[in-house]
Amino acid sequence: MAKARLRHLQLLVAVADQGNLKHAAEDVGLSQPAATQAIAELEQLLELRLFERYSKGMRLAAGGSILIPVIRNMLEALQAATQALATLQEGASGLLRVGVITAVASAVLGERVLRFCARHPDMRVEIVEDAADHLVQELLSGSLNLVLGRRPQPLPAKLRFEALRPDEAIVIAGPRHPLVGRQGLTLEDLSGYAWMRAAPGVWTREIFDVLFEDAGMRPRLHPVSLASLGPLPEILSDNQTIAMVPAGIGRSLVRWNLAVRLDAHLGTPRGEIGVLCAAESMEEPICLEFMAALRAESEGEPVLSRVMR
């Protein structure tokens, strides 16, 4: 019975994600009639409609929009607990799950994580890369211990944020782009080339849009927009396309000889990246030690205030 109930919760999330009862039922190992009955019984129990049925499938009703995120967080927390228990059974002393956004993964982690692991050889560190909104939800549900990213707006009351280092939007291009080596580039100088614009929701997308709007200009756009690092190096390899990216991503591509930072100072606003954690995690020694490792300065990297807020 316990397994059946868990499977029914998994079914609800699968239907919400796919909008198709047949496919969702197959994913969780139920027949379509059994899935239909399970949803009907849950709706009857709650006295609330969770899904609206229409000709092409199912979509969340108002009640489902409230309930499904709670169920999703609970299932993710349960999965995280299961993974932690499996880690202990393998002989490790514990599991630290750290969520990161793409702009932070290479900019802040790197050698810091390796140093932490060297000091705690019995610990297991799992890095989860995802969108910021989803990582915050996983942190709130307890399935992550820490998140490295930007300060959420607004900051949830249960969470604390510590800025680790400043960030900025920079312009990069392929190693043999015609603008490489030119100094003091202006927006007008860059306007003759196609821009790979970030996808909506990415920090640099808003900066990019405001920059051109304020300048009264329409940028030439590459047909592809990206929400993560993905094929960016390949796009830039045409040596005609340019991109505005967070400094952390840009420095990594430059270090790997996949891109060059253009000397363009466009007056874009600066941001900050840091660590986000639940208030109670500030009392957990292993979280405190991991955050201390993150604070360690690398040569040439400024570090911001250490105050949690």
Side-chain angles (χ1 to χ4, degrees):
M1 179 61 70
K3 288 184 178 179
R5 289 172 180 168
L6 177 60
R7 189 171 297 177
H8 293 168
L9 297 180
Q10 293 169 333
L11 172 67
L12 295 180
V13 173
V15 173
D17 289 342
Q18 300 191 34
N20 184 290
L21 181 62
K22 179 181 178 181
H23 295 162
E26 291 174 352
D27 283 353
V28 300
L30 290 174
S31 67
Q32 186 169 348
T36 300
Q37 181 180 351
I39 292 176
E41 290 177 352
L42 286 169
E43 289 182 326
Q44 184 178 3
L45 176 65
L46 295 169
E47 298 182 348
L48 190 68
R49 183 174 293 277
L50 300 177
F51 297 97
E52 296 176 353
R53 284 76 171 171
Y54 65 109
S55 59
K56 295 184 178 180
M58 302 172 69
R59 57 189 169 212
L60 287 175
S65 297
I66 296 173
L67 183 61
I68 296 303
V70 177
I71 294 175
R72 189 191 303 277
N73 288 340
M74 183 187 71
L75 292 175
E76 289 174 348
L78 180 61
Q79 182 181 19
T82 301
Q83 292 174 342
L85 289 174
T87 300
L88 294 178
Q89 291 174 339
E90 293 170 356
S93 61
L95 172 66
L96 188 68
R97 300 189 78 238
V98 181
V100 297
I101 62 173
T102 301
V104 171
S106 59
V108 176
L109 293 176
E111 293 183 359
R112 295 174 176 85
V113 173
L114 297 179
R115 287 197 294 267
F116 174 83
C117 291
R119 289 196 296 269
H120 303 276
D122 294 333
M123 282 290 298
R124 299 292 182 268
V125 179
E126 181 179 340
I127 307 299
V128 180
E129 187 173 341
D130 206 338
D133 290 348
H134 191 205
L135 291 174
V136 170
Q137 291 303 315
E138 287 198 66
L139 182 62
L140 288 169
S141 74
S143 60
L144 291 176
N145 300 102
L146 303 166
V147 168
L148 299 178
R150 306 186 193 284
R151 179 187 177 95
Q153 298 295 340
L155 180 66
K158 296 181 179 180
L159 302 182
R160 299 290 181 270
F161 179 81
E162 177 182 340
L164 293 175
R165 53 174 289 177
D167 196 15
E168 61 179 327
I170 65 173
V171 181
I172 60 173
R176 293 186 298 278
H177 193 281
L179 295 180
V180 171
R182 289 185 53 181
Q183 297 183 353
L185 295 170
T186 65
L187 195 58
E188 288 76 14
D189 296 325
L190 302 172
S191 63
Y193 298 90
W195 289 85
M196 197 297 299
R197 184 170 60 169
V202 178
W203 177 64
T204 51
R205 170 61 179 265
E206 181 179 356
I207 293 175
F208 180 90
D209 289 346
V210 170
L211 177 67
F212 277 91
E213 182 179 350
D214 289 348
M217 301 171 60
R218 292 186 61 182
R220 287 180 53 194
L221 296 178
H222 190 279
V224 174
S225 62
L226 299 176
S228 61
L229 182 60
L232 179 57
E234 186 173 352
I235 291 173
L236 296 179
S237 69
D238 68 359
N239 291 301
Q240 292 297 314
T241 305
I242 56 180
M244 178 178 289
V245 299
I249 290 179
R251 291 191 189 102
S252 295
L253 294 178
V254 170
R255 186 167 62 249
W256 301 330
N257 296 318
L258 296 174
V260 173
R261 178 176 179 174
L262 299 182
D263 185 36
H265 303 282
L266 305 178
T268 53
R270 296 175 67 88
E272 59 185 17
I273 54 179
V275 59
L276 192 66
C277 67
E280 56 268 24
S281 295
M282 296 303 299
E283 300 178 2
E284 298 178 10
I286 198 66
C287 288
L288 291 174
E289 290 195 40
F290 189 81
M291 285 190 286
L294 294 176
R295 295 185 191 110
E297 298 190 34
S298 295
E299 184 176 355
E301 288 189 357
V303 176
L304 298 177
S305 169
R306 308 283 201 254
V307 180
M308 298 293 294
R309 54 192 188 277

